[in-house]
Amino acid sequence: MCSRYLASLLLIGCSVLAGCEREQRAFHDQAPAIQSVSPTSFRAGGKSQPVAKDPEADKYERNAFHISEGKRYYEWYNCYSCHAAGGGDIGPPLMDDRWRYGGEIEQIYSSIVEGRPNGMPSFAGRIPDQQVWQIAAYVRAMAGNAAKTAVPARGDEMKNTKPLTQIPHTPVRTERPKTQR
Amino acid sequence: MNDPASACTRVARPISWMIALASCTVVGCHPSEPNGATQLNTVANPTRPAPGSAPPPGEGPANISVPDSASPPEDGQWTMPSRDYANTRFSGLDEINTANVGKLQLAFTFATGTLLGQESAVLAVGDTLYFVTPYPNILYAVDLNAPGGGLKWKFDPKADAASQGVACCQPVSRGPVYSNGRIFYNTTDAHTVAVDAATGQLQWKTRVGDFNYGETFTMAPLVVKDKVLVGNSGAEFGARGWLAALNASDGSIAWRAYSTGPDRDVLIDPSEFKPFYPQYRGTDLGVSQFPPDHWKIGGGTVWGWISYDPDLDLIYYGTSNPSPWNHEVRPGDNLWTNGMFARDPDDGHARWFYQISPHDLWDHSAVNENLILDMNWEGKPRKVVVRPDRNGYMYVIDRVNGELLAADPFTYITASKGVDLKTGRLIHNPDKIPSQGKVVREVCPNSPGAKDWTPSSFSKRTGLMYVPHNEMCMDWEIKPVSYIAGTGYLGVNARFYPGPGDHIGELMAWDPVARRKLWSVPERWPVWSGTAVTAGDVVFYGNLEGWFKAVHARTGEVLWQFKTASGIIGQPTTFRGPDGRQYVAILSGIGGWAGAIVSSELDERDPTAAKGFGNMVGELKKQSGIGGMLYVFALPR
């Protein structure tokens, strides 16, 4: 009798304790401060920190060899099949001044590596890092945003767009992404 | 407004009289001119019926008919995009006719909520309209009893957004199909869904293909008996083509017939497979007519129209271009791409095959509609299919045994020298064979061809076919290409430009008995919409500027037109509403291959944008807005 009473008491006690845990809440005084949110470094599906700045990145879009290599890889890796010679097809144009995911070389690099949600595949692990930078530099050149002294004056393929040396710079984003600089 | 003589004088203006002569031949001004292509056919068929064999108004045509089993009598509905198994797109309704169509007015509109190409047919079943948007492939049910056409329900298949990246020419849908209380349709991410037509509830959903390997869906299924027939898209990505039959009850896959590879995959059983021509007989030709293992990425997708003859119990459909476009990568005839199969719908086994474009050079995908017609052919009744092909020839093929009866040019052609009626083979023009390191110029027709997916119609009253088609040429350069799964597999630079005529597109009336063009309605831009024809002798179609037109089915006179907000690439349909009146429906909304420049906002400074259309359709941006809208028309009350 007594033991049964004790058992019930124990049971009730346990339930109360468990209930307390269930009802327990953690209150915060305020939302944590975030110092570096930037709408221009939007990344699809990836981690939220901005693209790591490659110390060499600037050199790619100022270097004729890298841009010309980028052009080759742009075809090799079938970038052409979706973006044509910059005018676009399945994917958006790359020669105009609209950049869904940012037009800085780091952002283009990041779009190639990570892919984007509406059909841009991720080439992570499929294209060596330096080649991605070279492709990104060539993409910059398509929109007139690489150094004019570095871009090729003519291509070998059938095409009647203006030579890349004559594509006007697209004055969209004169400021570099503020994060990580 | 476009009699052959004036078309001829207009065509005769170009600088080179030789081009003019060839063009005139093709438009039918001088059928006996010494053009290689025409001559070949004329020699094989010395006795051509007199032109204009279409009968006077009120009577059916004398030498051509549609088998009743493949085209049931009019019931005021439109339950499959092609209207019937024969693919006639002929409506028996005649309340709207040549006398009153000029008074046609807007009944109501309905926004699709999407911006890309609207290629879906608008089905009319009972008191409801059904259509599918491009990705995200929303299925709308519009209530005809609601004033101004209210929303009954909508169904979102939750298709994977990433699949848009492997839809070659925008993630379009050619529409749903209704059967036995359910709507079936295909999604961009290669699923087929069955939805309850009354409630919009999902019945089943089957993943039929894998978009990671470039497989998508653009085509409208066809339901034959208890099977839902669906075929993949993706030959621009090295997808291996197939037609699959899903059991309508639960969506399980009953059979799948590949377009490349070993016979067991192609469902070729030598005891049943009896092709007419010897080049299709042999073992595993779908392997040996490719380089080793290439058949696995060899294309031959099945994204066009399927026909069905219930009497013979055979389905007919075409297979697409082989992959990649660069032909040097894939020596051989590349069987069974770019041809047409006749199959048993129950088990999928092939009965015959005919290859329209062996060893394709130009992406002349052979997926166009096959109209099931019974014709008086050289004095004997024959069961045939008639198909306008991308390569510029109008084919007449015996649908019992696969024998080629005729292949007549209906446009300006330089890519080939005709079709040999003895061997059935297309004769490539040796001057135009592409090879790496050179640009081949003045290739006509270009890749979208003399006629792309845009479906023709056939009138049981006039005996004529109404064919939306185009006259375009191109420069073509092949280049190295490697296969990377899920990315394009082309190996070609192309730029398109108008052909030698004074207009690019036209709606053509073709007499399948006389085998010649009777008249056409010229269009400045490629015609990218389908057609429908009615017992009121009115043909409906739309153009890329957004004009929706009603044309006299006998004369070609444009009787009425209405400017919609965006270019039209849809399929007109007509039906009797619950109030007893006849309506005409069309989706407006530019896009697809020809209209991607506008609605995908491509940059026409690159002539190779949209695989070559960048070179010729940039001006369209000024003439067509962007956005999908359903337009429904009727006569005033």
Side-chain angles (χ1 to χ4, degrees):
Chain A
M1 179 92 179
C2 184
S3 63
R4 197 188 293 168
Y5 173 76
L6 274 175
S8 345
L9 203 66
L10 202 64
L11 196 69
I12 293 168
C14 284
S15 322
V16 168
L17 281 174
C20 286
E21 200 174 326
R22 192 184 70 81
E23 294 298 323
Q24 210 167 55
R25 295 165 203 203
F27 290 98
H28 299 283
D29 291 331
Q30 60 186 60
I34 302 170
Q35 305 299 337
S36 59
V37 164
S38 161
T40 56
S41 61
F42 167 74
R43 290 155 58 104
K47 291 160 291 186
S48 57
Q49 72 265 35
V51 183
K53 167 78 175 158
D54 188 303
E56 300 294 305
D58 269 355
K59 288 186 184 168
Y60 287 102
E61 60 190 58
R62 298 204 181 117
N63 181 283
F65 172 75
H66 287 316
I67 291 173
S68 118
E69 286 289 277
K71 182 175 187 319
R72 194 156 66 92
Y73 296 132
Y74 179 88
E75 300 225 349
W76 266 29
Y77 296 116
N78 287 347
C79 311
Y80 189 96
S81 72
C82 278
H83 300 281
D89 189 338
I90 300 161
L94 302 174
M95 66 198 293
D96 65 7
D97 56 2
R98 292 184 60 193
W99 295 96
R100 295 181 191 176
Y101 306 110
E104 293 300 325
I105 189 166
E106 296 88 350
Q107 293 167 316
I108 295 168
Y109 172 95
S110 149
S111 288
I112 297 169
V113 171
E114 293 167 6
R116 293 300 178 218
N118 287 317
M120 170 74 189
S122 160
F123 286 87
R126 291 171 176 83
I127 306 182
D129 205 49
Q130 190 190 40
Q131 294 180 6
V132 177
W133 284 113
Q134 289 169 328
I135 293 169
Y138 174 61
V139 170
R140 292 273 294 163
M142 281 180 163
N145 294 333
K148 288 289 179 287
T149 48
V151 299
R154 63 177 289 272
D156 294 325
E157 77 287 347
M158 179 196 80
K159 185 172 162 195
N160 49 16
T161 45
K162 284 183 179 171
L164 292 181
T165 45
Q166 292 176 31
I167 303 272
H169 175 77
T170 47
V172 206
R173 290 182 50 246
T174 47
E175 281 180 52
R176 293 265 165 166
K178 290 207 175 70
T179 48
Q180 101 247 280
R181 292 205 187 234
Chain B
M1 71 183 290
N2 187 42
D3 63 293
S6 74
C8 186
T9 42
R10 279 204 301 275
V11 169
R13 276 183 211 142
I15 4 103
S16 155
W17 68 269
M18 278 185 58
I19 291 178
L21 187 62
S23 323
C24 282
T25 307
V26 167
V27 299
C29 299
H30 307 290
S32 58
E33 288 297 336
N35 170 294
T38 315
Q39 200 173 27
L40 255 175
N41 299 304
T42 316
V43 167
N45 291 284
T47 50
R48 284 187 162 204
S53 61
E59 295 171 26
N63 291 315
I64 190 161
S65 63
V66 185
D68 290 339
S69 60
S71 181
E74 183 58 47
D75 63 357
Q77 304 192 98
W78 197 294
T79 61
M80 60 180 95
S82 53
R83 169 67 183 53
D84 53 33
Y85 285 142
N87 278 243
T88 63
R89 295 175 187 263
F90 173 81
S91 164
L93 301 178
D94 60 1
E95 180 194 335
I96 299 169
N97 55 46
T98 52
N100 62 20
V101 68
K103 298 193 199 114
L104 209 58
Q105 55 182 225
L106 198 56
F108 66 89
T109 57
F110 188 94
T112 73
T114 52
L115 301 179
L116 301 182
Q118 313 282 331
E119 291 191 354
S120 173
V122 181
L123 303 185
V125 184
D127 59 2
T128 310
L129 298 183
Y130 301 93
F131 67 87
V132 181
T133 70
Y135 181 87
N137 309 130
I138 307 289
L139 170 65
Y140 280 104
V142 178
D143 186 355
L144 290 169
N145 288 317
L151 175 69
K152 199 170 194 176
W153 49 257
K154 70 174 183 178
F155 171 77
D156 181 350
K158 314 285 194 308
D160 194 321
S163 63
Q164 295 172 91
V166 283
C168 88
C169 315
Q170 291 196 340
V172 297
S173 166
R174 308 220 161 80
V177 60
Y178 170 86
S179 175
N180 203 14
R182 284 177 296 175
I183 299 283
F184 303 93
Y185 75 102
N186 293 324
T187 62
T188 305
D189 65 350
H191 289 67
T192 302
V193 295
V195 176
D196 185 299
T199 64
Q201 292 301 306
L202 179 68
Q203 306 275 303
W204 50 256
K205 177 174 180 175
T206 301
R207 182 190 192 223
V208 197
D210 184 349
F211 72 81
N212 292 306
Y213 292 93
E215 291 183 314
T216 55
F217 271 140
T218 57
M219 61 91 82
L222 186 76
V223 179
V224 170
K225 295 187 263 188
D226 59 343
K227 305 273 193 309
V228 184
L229 303 172
V230 298
N232 62 350
S233 302
E236 278 61 55
F237 303 84
R240 183 187 178 200
W242 43 256
L243 177 75
L246 278 55
N247 291 309
S249 54
D250 60 0
S252 58
I253 296 175
W255 52 262
R256 190 193 302 255
Y258 286 93
S259 308
T260 68
D263 287 351
R264 66 173 179 278
D265 289 2
V266 188
L267 303 187
I268 286 178
D269 176 346
S271 66
E272 295 172 86
F273 184 59
K274 306 287 177 204
F276 191 84
Y277 298 97
Q279 62 264 36
Y280 314 132
R281 294 177 211 142
T283 305
D284 292 340
L285 297 177
V287 174
S288 61
Q289 288 295 325
F290 279 105
D293 277 347
H294 192 99
W295 54 270
K296 293 172 182 169
I297 52 170
T301 51
V302 184
W303 56 272
W305 304 105
I306 308 169
S307 320
Y308 173 56
D309 180 341
D311 297 332
L312 296 172
D313 197 20
L314 290 177
I315 54 167
Y316 304 93
Y317 68 92
T319 58
S320 86
N321 58 291
S323 311
W325 284 9
N326 178 344
H327 77 108
E328 286 190 333
V329 177
R330 42 172 176 80
D333 276 355
N334 308 142
L335 292 167
W336 310 87
T337 67
N338 262 3
M340 63 174 289
F341 273 111
R343 290 185 186 274
D344 182 328
D346 294 323
D347 59 12
H349 286 197
R351 293 298 178 79
W352 57 258
F353 175 85
Y354 171 74
Q355 195 170 28
I356 304 279
S357 294
H359 186 74
D360 175 46
L361 303 175
W362 317 112
D363 178 36
H364 281 165
S365 218
V367 299
N368 285 354
E369 67 280 7
N370 297 291
L371 277 74
I372 290 188
L373 299 170
D374 291 345
M375 282 172 82
N376 194 340
W377 189 264
E378 292 167 358
K380 287 183 199 151
R382 288 195 89 153
K383 293 171 182 288
V384 301
V385 295
V386 180
R387 55 173 290 146
D389 198 80
R390 256 158 88 154
N391 66 15
Y393 299 93
M394 186 75 74
Y395 287 81
V396 183
I397 298 169
D398 185 313
R399 70 175 184 272
V400 179
N401 64 6
E403 179 187 4
L404 176 67
L405 303 180
D408 303 300
F410 61 91
T411 189
Y412 179 64
I413 299 173
T414 66
S416 61
K417 294 279 197 183
V419 180
D420 185 329
L421 294 178
K422 289 213 166 50
T423 63
R425 285 188 75 94
L426 179 76
I427 301 159
H428 288 151
N429 180 348
D431 299 338
K432 303 285 184 188
I433 308 285
S435 64
Q436 204 166 301
K438 73 171 183 184
V439 176
V440 187
R441 297 179 197 276
E442 306 260 327
V443 179
C444 320
N446 65 351
S447 331
K451 181 194 161 294
D452 201 285
W453 73 278
T454 58
S456 318
S457 52
F458 173 83
S459 167
K460 294 178 187 174
R461 282 167 50 86
T462 65
L464 300 178
M465 279 170 66
Y466 303 95
V467 186
H469 84 100
N470 305 308
E471 194 170 276
M472 298 184 278
C473 303
M474 65 178 175
D475 296 344
W476 183 266
E477 178 188 48
I478 59 177
K479 56 183 188 178
V481 59
S482 39
Y483 176 80
I484 300 174
T487 71
Y489 189 43
L490 300 172
V492 164
N493 284 330
R495 61 175 172 225
F496 302 160
Y497 41 87
D502 64 347
H503 56 274
I504 297 171
E506 63 181 29
L507 172 74
M508 165 179 82
W510 177 268
D511 183 337
V513 175
R515 290 160 50 201
R516 56 170 297 161
K517 170 164 136 180
L518 291 189
W519 46 258
S520 69
V521 182
E523 293 288 351
R524 178 183 173 192
W525 299 110
V527 183
W528 220 254
S529 92
T531 62
V533 60
T534 72
D537 282 349
V538 184
V539 186
F540 292 98
Y541 78 104
N543 72 17
L544 284 182
E545 293 158 58
W547 288 100
F548 186 52
K549 299 188 178 184
V551 175
H552 196 302
R554 293 179 194 274
T555 66
E557 187 189 348
V558 178
L559 301 169
W560 170 87
Q561 57 182 0
F562 180 95
K563 178 70 169 68
T564 66
S566 180
I568 294 174
I569 61 166
Q571 304 163 52
T573 59
T574 182
F575 58 92
R576 192 188 297 120
D579 58 358
R581 301 158 73 205
Q582 184 184 353
Y583 292 84
V584 182
I586 185 73
L587 284 173
S588 159
I590 198 166
W593 192 357
I597 290 284
V598 182
S599 56
S600 293
E601 300 185 86
L602 306 184
D603 197 322
E604 67 273 17
R605 287 176 296 170
D606 172 9
T608 64
K611 301 178 181 63
F613 265 118
N615 198 45
M616 68 179 276
V617 297
E619 276 286 299
L620 258 176
K621 287 181 172 175
K622 296 176 187 162
Q623 293 165 6
S624 166
I626 300 171
M629 182 84 89
L630 166 68
Y631 288 79
V632 179
F633 301 93
L635 292 171
R637 280 180 199 276

